[in-house]
Amino acid sequence: DVPVPGKVSTRYDLEKETELRFEVEAGEAVEQVELELLTGMAEVFGSELNRNKKYTFGAGSKIAVFTWQGCSVNLYGKPEVAYVSKDTPMLLYLNTHAALEQMRKQAERDNERGPRVMVVGPTDVGKSTVCRLLLSYAVRVGRRPTLVELDVGQSGVSVPGTMSALCIERPADVEEGFSVQAPLVYHFGSTTPGTNIKLYNKLTSCLAEVFSQRCEVNRKASVGGCIINTCGWVKGSGYQALVHCASAFEVDVVLVLDHERLYNELKRDLPHFVRVVLLPKSGGVVERSKECRRDTRDEKIREYFYGFRGVTFYPFSYEVRFSDVRIYKIGAPSIPDSCLPLGMSQDDTQLKLVPVTPGRDLTYHVLSVSSAEDGEEGARKGIVESPVCGFIVVTNVDTQTQVMKVLSPAPRPLPRHTLLIMDIRFMDMK
Ligand code: ADP
């Protein structure tokens, strides 16, 4: 182990089935922490570590290095916390993976489809981490599972405010997570399902349909099944959305993390053939503050435009004439039932495309570029259910000249001219 210049190094010898947990302080100008496996074998959320390679973790990282057989590792730098825990639910998670793998084997034999799994629970119980673990384990035994990301607040796949699906072809990178190539992404537009639950359910159904179509033509995808990550909102309409998702995807297994009431409710409300399993959360999962969540969201958008770690992107900034684009918001503000036009229901208003007149208040908003074909009225119908092909941010609006300036990952012109506005804003401080 070659020391990292200027950094203290601390060695940890881990017994089998224990984990080293550490956190890197949040904020700017924080010293990164490096991790190196010296002897034995270890993994980070399901991805194996290579020996004598230094993995770097930046501000705000919360990591667990787990070992099945025992190992020793070095940490370089000063983590905010670092401790070894013997008390982890990893064995239960591994057993869950083994059970899912049995289902895949059976699916292969009987020419059926593999397990469709929904992971649910309140916020900060480690849902995303369990998804990552199960996906990485599946891919390590040669499967091709699909990650369905329905957490509109903290998406692991795309920018916040989206719902997406991603075919997993290799284990998550220890430092960077899953490689995101060609995900299928839909525009939701805000960070909580509650702002438009009808749209949320509709897009869940769209994803389920596309996934099922893919399974019909791709045997590996069908056998691999899917792991669905959900939002932490588990009451009222949030709960109904989970029930809807279970039915849309025809899930076979629901993993409930650390929430007995939710477990009992789902057992009561889902068909009897759905296996509902209660799993403990890991003591290592760290609660994140509102600010922390907001920072993570901001970071996700920044990454989209500027890249991440080793990969730097150079986004473009150019002007777009109002007359060249059509901007919509999905969902009209709800009005009392008594005021609705005859024959119209609240559902219709929530899925309605409302044209947005560009004004100064558009500044900083994230806009999704719809993949829907440009065209007049007729084409409007499919917009809500069309995936998006990218995102731009409005950086300036000039109402005099009827022009807005946008930040875009690709040079002009825009690939399509139908834009959907998000509630989410991004201020580019670079
Ligand atoms: P959720 O999806 O339920 O909101 P996450 O899976 O995103 O929760 O986990 C929250 C945070 O806790 C993440 O930063 C994750 O890296 C961290 N974390 C999860 N499991 C562990 C663990 N065993 N030890 C240390 N940190 C962990």
Side-chain angles (χ1 to χ4, degrees), residues 310-322:
V311 194
T312 309
F313 300 150
Y314 298 93
F316 298 81
S317 179
Y318 56 84
E319 289 181 335
V320 175
R321 283 204 304 263
F322 295 168

Side-chain angles (χ1 to χ4, degrees), residues 27-41:
E28 278 153 46
V30 172
E31 195 188 53
Q32 297 177 325
V33 172
E34 271 120 60
L35 163 74
E36 182 182 4
L37 175 67
L38 305 173
T39 64
M41 278 159 71

Side-chain angles (χ1 to χ4, degrees), residues 19 21-22 45 60 62-64 122-130 151 229 282 284-286 288 293:
E19 69 186 20
R21 296 173 184 157
F22 65 92
F45 306 137
K62 303 171 199 341
I63 304 297
T123 44
D124 293 333
V125 289
K127 291 184 298 298
S128 321
T129 307
V130 168
D151 188 347
N229 189 26
S282 165
V285 179
V286 193
R288 288 164 298 182
R293 275 172 218 285

Side-chain angles (χ1 to χ4, degrees), residues 64-207:
V65 186
F66 181 85
T67 178
W68 293 105
Q69 299 88 355
C71 73
S72 49
V73 297
N74 251 354
L75 285 188
Y76 304 94
K78 292 197 206 80
E80 197 174 16
V81 246
Y83 65 97
V84 177
S85 174
K86 294 186 174 165
D87 186 18
T88 91
M90 283 294 281
L91 199 57
L92 289 171
Y93 295 168
L94 182 70
N95 285 341
T96 307
H97 159 71
L100 297 178
E101 188 48 29
Q102 276 309 315
M103 293 170 81
R104 293 190 189 103
K105 283 202 174 116
Q106 193 174 347
E108 223 162 25
R109 240 188 353 251
D110 305 344
N111 207 18
E112 301 262 357
R113 61 179 175 76
R116 297 175 173 199
V117 184
M118 180 167 85
V119 179
V120 304
T123 44
D124 293 333
V125 289
K127 291 184 298 298
S128 321
T129 307
V130 168
C131 290
R132 174 168 165 177
L133 201 69
L134 294 174
L135 290 162
S136 282
Y137 283 166
V139 112
R140 276 166 66 179
V141 295
R143 303 299 180 186
R144 291 293 174 269
T146 299
L147 165 62
V148 178
E149 178 60 89
L150 302 186
D151 188 347
V152 288
Q154 308 278 318
S155 171
V157 175
S158 187
V159 301
T162 59
M163 298 165 72
S164 52
L166 179 69
C167 311
I168 306 296
E169 318 224 294
R170 62 184 73 92
D173 181 87
V174 171
E175 297 161 309
E176 295 173 19
F178 290 113
S179 124
V180 180
Q181 268 158 15
L184 174 72
V185 182
Y186 290 95
H187 167 98
F188 177 68
S190 101
T191 57
T192 69
T195 40
N196 192 338
I197 200 75
K198 284 278 155 25
L199 177 62
Y200 187 80
N201 288 336
K202 175 110 196 160
L203 296 177
T204 302
S205 300
C206 283
L207 280 163

